[in-house]
Amino acid sequence: MKKKIAIVAGGYSSEWVVSLKSAQGLRSFIDPNRYEVYIVLITKEQWFVQPDEKTKIPMDKNDFGFTSGGRKIHFDFAYITIHGTPGEDGLLQGYFDMMGIPYSSCGVLASALTFNKYFCNRFLKSFGVKTAESVFLRKNDRWDSAAIQSKLGLPVFVKPNDSGSSFGVTKVTSADQLQTAIAAAFEEGTDALVERFLPGTEVTCGCYKIKDKTTVFPITEVVSKNEFFDFDAKYNPGSSEEITPARISDRLTEEIQTLTSEIYDCIGAKGIIRIDYIISPAGEINMLEVNTVPGMTATSFIPQQIKASGLNIRDVFTEIIENELSNKLYDGKKSGI
């Protein structure tokens, strides 16, 4: 009998639309001959499974199952592709841990840590990872634009501390733009981050680990035709150029891939993650952020990198699913289940 896989999409943030595209990508990547795949959509109002475009069946949150044709169906595995809360910040991971359902992404602690850009960067700095200097703001904080400019200079990036896909991100080139940029960031999240601009080459690198096997993907170079790699550049064809493998030296490639693997272990990651970097003109590698639920559309970075590495994309996702299913079986045997 085929294992039943839930691709969990939607969420509570502006990244909803990206999540739905990732869900469709994953549906095409996961082997239908091996698994029975459903898309489960989560909103603040309801959870429902969508077996086809016209049908919505309510989910039972008590056991993460649903009833169809008089038969109760339970899922064996959840592939989380919610970008933002509650799928990227540890909330959904905690729910699945309590339900005893294996899932694709990092656990509660790693998810919560990496979702908070400021605290993740501070944590990784303690391990020697270079990141941009920044100022952390809570919504009700008082802040002084002159003090921020004095510390960070201009230009700076202002972004929500707990959001992605470049929603609410502004590149600020003059002090009089700062207030509007911070307000835009607070529309997307409860905290804001003002970050020193780092000139250089933007690259990103994916990685996953199962049992005794580590796979670090080829690096992608990002060349935006906009002022920075904003939402338009990420999701509108022709607004950016994504080059895999990146046009960087073998030395830098090896250093970034090694660093990606080390950060994976530092945060206790699981499943596929993607880490973004800026390489300065002098060759210094600065980490931008860690993505524990990277985009999975057909044109997203991870599918590009899997293709460039010569791997079969269905084999990659089968490995991730089977690794977690076997871990669940092992844990069950240990506990006498």
Side-chain angles (χ1 to χ4, degrees):
M1 183 179 294
K2 294 180 182 178
K3 297 288 187 182
K4 294 174 178 61
I5 308 296
I7 298 174
V8 187
Y12 307 159
S13 74
S14 298
E15 294 184 86
W16 163 276
V17 62
V18 182
S19 175
L20 298 189
K21 291 179 179 179
S22 287
Q24 293 301 326
L26 282 166
R27 185 194 279 275
S28 70
F29 302 150
I30 295 174
D31 189 350
N33 297 316
R34 188 168 187 137
Y35 306 108
E36 191 174 330
V37 181
Y38 297 83
I39 292 179
V40 175
L41 295 179
I42 289 180
T43 70
K44 287 183 178 179
E45 292 75 31
Q46 60 179 331
W47 295 18
F48 57 90
V49 66
Q50 197 164 11
D52 56 63
E53 290 184 2
K54 297 181 179 180
T55 307
K56 294 181 179 180
I57 303 173
M59 289 287 296
D60 185 347
K61 296 179 186 178
N62 293 305
D63 59 8
F64 197 64
F66 68 98
T67 302
S68 178
R71 181 171 66 103
K72 188 65 177 277
I73 296 174
H74 295 98
F75 287 107
D76 300 293
F77 181 88
Y79 203 107
I80 300 171
T81 189
I82 293 177
H83 311 302
T85 188
E88 202 169 5
D89 55 0
L91 296 182
L92 201 55
Q93 287 80 359
Y95 167 80
F96 286 132
D97 284 342
M98 293 177 70
M99 292 291 104
I101 298 171
Y103 52 90
S104 57
S105 65
C106 295
V108 174
L109 178 59
S111 297
L113 172 66
T114 54
F115 192 64
N116 188 308
K117 297 180 179 69
Y118 179 76
F119 289 112
C120 181
N121 287 4
R122 299 283 289 186
F123 172 75
L124 290 173
K125 272 187 176 182
S126 69
F127 289 91
V129 177
K130 295 181 175 66
T131 64
E133 288 297 315
S134 60
V135 172
F136 174 70
L137 301 173
R138 291 188 171 91
K139 188 164 282 189
N140 296 321
D141 283 351
R142 292 185 177 183
W143 52 272
D144 184 284
S145 59
I148 293 174
Q149 185 177 350
S150 175
K151 180 177 180 179
L152 303 178
L154 289 172
V156 294
F157 278 107
V158 180
K159 61 182 73 173
N161 189 50
D162 50 2
S163 182
S165 295
S166 296
F167 285 107
V169 178
T170 307
K171 183 178 180 180
V172 172
T173 56
S174 61
D176 60 343
Q177 299 172 335
L178 204 52
Q179 183 170 351
T180 301
I182 291 172
F186 281 137
E187 287 180 7
E188 294 293 334
T190 56
D191 304 324
L193 193 62
V194 185
E195 208 167 59
R196 175 177 290 159
F197 170 72
L198 297 175
T201 302
E202 184 169 352
V203 298
T204 187
C205 182
C207 174
Y208 76 97
K209 300 188 181 188
I210 56 170
K211 294 183 174 67
D212 298 323
K213 176 183 175 182
T214 295
T215 301
V216 184
F217 297 129
I219 297 166
T220 300
E221 179 183 350
V222 182
V223 183
S224 175
K225 295 181 181 178
N226 299 343
E227 191 168 5
F228 67 98
F229 195 49
D230 57 8
F231 183 86
D232 175 72
K234 286 180 178 178
Y235 300 109
N236 288 331
S239 296
S240 67
E241 189 177 1
E242 299 165 6
I243 303 160
T244 310
R247 299 169 300 182
I248 58 177
S249 68
D250 291 344
R251 177 186 64 81
L252 281 171
T253 296
E254 183 178 353
E255 287 183 12
I256 289 170
Q257 289 178 322
T258 299
L259 181 57
T260 299
S261 179
E262 290 173 349
I263 291 173
Y264 192 105
D265 293 336
C266 279
I267 64 173
K270 186 163 66 73
I272 295 178
I273 72 167
R274 199 194 79 233
I275 305 180
D276 302 335
Y277 302 93
I278 285 283
I279 305 170
S280 75
E284 183 177 77
I285 299 165
N286 292 273
M287 191 204 74
L288 294 177
E289 62 180 79
V290 180
N291 302 276
T292 59
V293 184
M296 289 295 174
T297 71
T299 57
S300 292
F301 291 123
I302 293 298
Q304 288 183 50
Q305 293 175 4
I306 292 173
K307 182 178 180 180
S309 67
L311 298 173
N312 181 290
I313 198 162
R314 284 194 172 167
D315 291 344
V316 169
F317 287 99
T318 297
E319 277 192 336
I320 289 167
I321 293 168
E322 291 301 316
N323 182 67
E324 295 306 316
L325 288 173
S326 66
N327 287 342
K328 174 65 165 59
L329 180 63
Y330 176 67
D331 289 344
K333 286 180 178 178
K334 285 198 301 183
S335 60
I337 296 174

